[in-house]
């Protein structure tokens, strides 16, 4: 199946297209005492990432602690991120906004809020609170209903760990891709076989061909090379918050045909990224704190890490960060 993507719900195509490359699901930073949003740090972080070569940013994803934020806070974070990009001279850099709510109605409302705040696309998980009722047809109908009404195009988010084990298969994802307002999938499931099938079935965009414009995103930086080899379009990776230059370097080496170099650097990246992945949001924030002087802590009930755990993370990513600082 070949599909064409970019039109949004009877309106003009998005002002900012999604380029191939590395994206970061940005962290949401909070005051260490009050847990209020730390807008200056949110803006500082966004500007650093795009200056280090990222193709786009995702606000209010899993790493952004969307589940811990109110609608008003979600809008404030996205608005601040758009302001930071514009002020840094990156007015064409797109922002994807996490906009999942439990109901079709609520999700559509949040998609509209995301647009008003400066978002260009939305990233949506399947509904999962009533897991025992969420069969494939219910999930399909949810996404179609939202896509019919959302002012922003949808990137589907396949992350079984966040939605009670719901794992959308390639047949469903390809079927949903027929909707002109569904423009991509993020594969945090890590299933490169599934990514390959969806990329083929949708004629996904790659660094070498525009295809249909559909975006097949790897969901972690530890399989960047594998995503490219599978016909993928980009990476949305939490590790890019910490080591964006290394992530971009792996991508660029492969695109330039320097496959052996890309694979070698991928191995170093995957080794370091594992320390971030297993320590999750708190660990990623502390890695940023250790190497860049800001980061802080997640909102409760997520725990703050003890000093020994932070030191282990620092040591675990040391090799990758030495390369990061050399680029």
């Amino acid at each position: 199946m070949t599909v064409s993507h970019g039109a949004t719900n009877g309106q003009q195509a998005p002002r900012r297209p999604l380029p191939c490359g590395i994206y970061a699901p940005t962290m949401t930073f909070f005051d260490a005492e009050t847990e209020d949003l730390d807008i200056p740090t949110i803006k500082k972080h966004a500007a650093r990432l795009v200056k280090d070569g990222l193709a786009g940013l995702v606000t209010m994803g899993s790493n952004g602690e969307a589940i811990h934020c109110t609608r008003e806070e979600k809008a404030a974070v996205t608005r601040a991120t758009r302001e930071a990009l514009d002020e840094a001279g990156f007015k064409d850099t797109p922002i994807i906004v996490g906009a999942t709510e439990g109901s079709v109605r609520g999700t559509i409302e949040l998609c509209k809020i995301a647009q008003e705040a400066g978002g260009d696309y939305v990233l949506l998980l399947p509904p999962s609170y009533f897991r025992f009722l969420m069969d494939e047809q219910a999930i399909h109908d949810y996404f179609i209903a939202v896509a019919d009404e959302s002012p922003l195009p949808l990137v589907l988010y396949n992350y079984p760990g966040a939605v009670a084990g719901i794992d959308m298969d390639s047949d469903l994802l390809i079927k949903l891709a027929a909707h002109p307002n569904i423009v991509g999938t993020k594969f945090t499931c890590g299933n490169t076989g599934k990514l390959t099938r969806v990329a083929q079935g949708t004629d996904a965009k790659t660094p070498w061909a525009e295809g249909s414009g559909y975006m097949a995103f790897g969901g972690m930086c530890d399989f960047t090379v594998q995503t490219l080899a599978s016909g993928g379009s980009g990476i949305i990776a939490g590790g890019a918050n910490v080591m964006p230059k290394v992530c971009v370097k792996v991508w660029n080496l492969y695109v330039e045909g320097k496959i052996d170099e890309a694979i070698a650097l991928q191995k170093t990246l995957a080794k370091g990224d594992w320390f971030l992945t297993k320590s999750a949001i708190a660990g990623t924030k502390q890695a940023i704190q250790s190497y860049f002087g800001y980061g802080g802590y997640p909102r409760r009930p997520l725990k703050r890490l003890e000093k020994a755990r932070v030191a282990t993370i620092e040591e675990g990513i040391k090799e990758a960060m030495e390369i990061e600082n050399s680029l």
Side-chain angles (χ1 to χ4, degrees):
M1 179 188 72
T2 300
V3 292
S4 179
H5 293 279
T8 65
N9 204 26
Q11 301 181 22
Q12 292 183 345
R15 181 166 64 90
R16 301 177 184 90
L18 291 170
C20 290
I22 305 295
Y23 294 62
T26 60
M27 318 304 293
T28 299
F29 300 99
F30 305 108
D31 182 276
E33 299 298 326
T34 66
E35 296 191 356
D36 290 341
L37 292 178
D38 183 351
I39 294 295
T41 300
I42 289 168
K43 295 180 72 171
K44 172 184 177 180
H45 183 65
R48 177 176 74 82
L49 296 181
V50 293
K51 289 175 182 177
D52 285 347
L54 297 193
L57 299 180
V58 179
T59 61
M60 291 293 106
S62 303
N63 277 276
E65 298 182 65
I67 195 67
H68 294 162
C69 295
T70 65
R71 282 185 172 186
E72 292 76 15
E73 288 175 325
K74 292 173 182 178
V77 169
T78 299
R79 191 176 302 112
T81 302
R82 182 73 266 161
E83 290 172 358
L85 300 189
D86 291 350
E87 291 165 0
F90 292 86
K91 294 185 177 182
D92 293 332
T93 300
I95 296 175
I96 306 171
V97 184
T100 304
E101 287 203 359
S103 68
V104 169
R105 179 189 177 98
T107 300
I108 292 169
E109 289 176 355
L110 195 51
C111 290
K112 293 176 179 177
I113 291 169
Q115 181 194 41
E116 293 168 358
D120 301 291
Y121 303 81
V122 289
L123 181 67
L124 299 183
L125 291 160
S128 63
Y129 185 85
F130 297 104
R131 172 66 180 92
F132 66 102
L133 296 173
M134 290 298 106
D135 58 14
E136 184 171 298
Q137 190 62 51
I139 293 167
H140 171 274
D141 292 348
Y142 166 83
F143 283 122
I144 294 299
V146 174
D148 282 344
E149 298 295 330
S150 173
L152 298 179
L154 280 56
V155 176
L156 309 185
Y157 190 2
N158 195 52
Y159 183 14
V163 288
I166 293 174
D167 189 3
M168 295 183 285
D169 66 23
S170 52
D171 292 340
L172 175 59
L173 293 169
I174 292 169
K175 183 179 180 181
L176 287 167
H179 195 294
N181 209 27
I182 296 177
V183 301
T185 298
K186 179 187 178 187
F187 295 85
T188 304
C189 55
N191 188 328
T192 54
K194 183 186 298 183
L195 189 155
T196 302
R197 293 189 294 274
V198 173
Q200 289 178 330
T202 60
D203 188 24
K205 184 177 182 178
T206 73
W208 306 280
E210 182 64 25
S212 69
Y214 192 89
M215 300 294 287
F217 288 106
M220 293 178 281
C221 61
D222 64 1
F223 62 101
T224 300
V225 165
Q226 296 92 323
T227 294
L228 280 159
S230 298
S233 314
I235 302 290
I236 300 174
N241 282 286
V242 181
M243 48 190 83
K245 294 179 183 178
V246 176
C247 292
V248 171
K249 186 67 173 178
V250 172
W251 182 273
N252 288 343
L253 284 171
Y254 193 98
V255 171
E256 293 164 4
K258 300 174 182 177
I259 308 302
D260 291 342
E261 292 180 55
I263 291 172
L265 186 55
Q266 173 71 85
K267 291 176 181 178
T268 300
L269 177 58
K271 178 183 175 182
D273 187 56
W274 176 234
F275 287 88
L276 302 177
T277 298
K278 63 184 178 180
S279 60
I281 293 167
T284 300
K285 284 189 168 182
Q286 283 299 292
I288 296 169
Q289 184 74 52
S290 296
Y291 282 94
F292 298 99
Y294 67 93
Y297 309 100
R299 272 183 173 169
R300 294 171 294 173
L302 295 185
K303 296 179 180 178
R304 299 185 178 190
L305 302 184
E306 63 276 9
K307 290 183 179 180
R309 184 81 182 277
V310 174
T312 299
I313 296 168
E314 288 179 8
E315 183 61 29
I317 65 173
K318 182 178 179 181
E319 182 181 3
M321 291 307 298
E322 287 175 350
I323 298 172
E324 176 77 16
N325 293 330
S326 74
L327 295 174

